[in-house]
Amino acid sequence: MEIGISIALILASLLMILLVLLHKGKGGGLSDMFGGGFTSNFGGSSVVERNLDRLTVITGVIWFVCIIALGLLLRP
């Protein structure tokens, strides 16, 4: 059981890193420092961006549940 949750945690962590890196900078943060502030926003968020947001949130919830489950299983 612990091995399965650990594998799910590793996969969720890697997917979370990938999904966060796929997001484009919204401005006002570190992305402006490196030239990300030069792009303009044409028409708000698209369907792809909203789906990416949803997938990132779902992956974050799975990651959080794996952390809690491992904490409960490995408790002395």
Side-chain angles (χ1 to χ4, degrees):
M1 185 74 153
E2 293 173 20
I3 294 172
I5 294 175
S6 295
I7 291 171
L9 178 64
I10 291 169
L11 292 176
S13 298
L14 293 175
L15 185 61
M16 183 71 107
I17 291 169
L18 177 70
L19 290 172
V20 168
L21 289 175
L22 284 175
H23 282 277
K24 68 179 187 176
K26 302 289 185 200
L30 286 177
S31 63
D32 279 344
M33 237 167 67
F34 300 110
F38 294 113
T39 59
S40 61
N41 203 3
F42 296 111
S45 63
S46 66
V47 174
V48 174
E49 290 172 355
R50 281 183 276 155
N51 287 336
L52 184 62
D53 290 340
R54 289 180 188 138
L55 190 58
T56 305
V57 169
I58 290 169
T59 305
V61 168
I62 291 170
W63 183 84
F64 184 74
V65 168
C66 287
I67 292 288
I68 297 297
L70 272 178
L72 291 175
L73 282 176
L74 298 177
R75 189 171 50 166

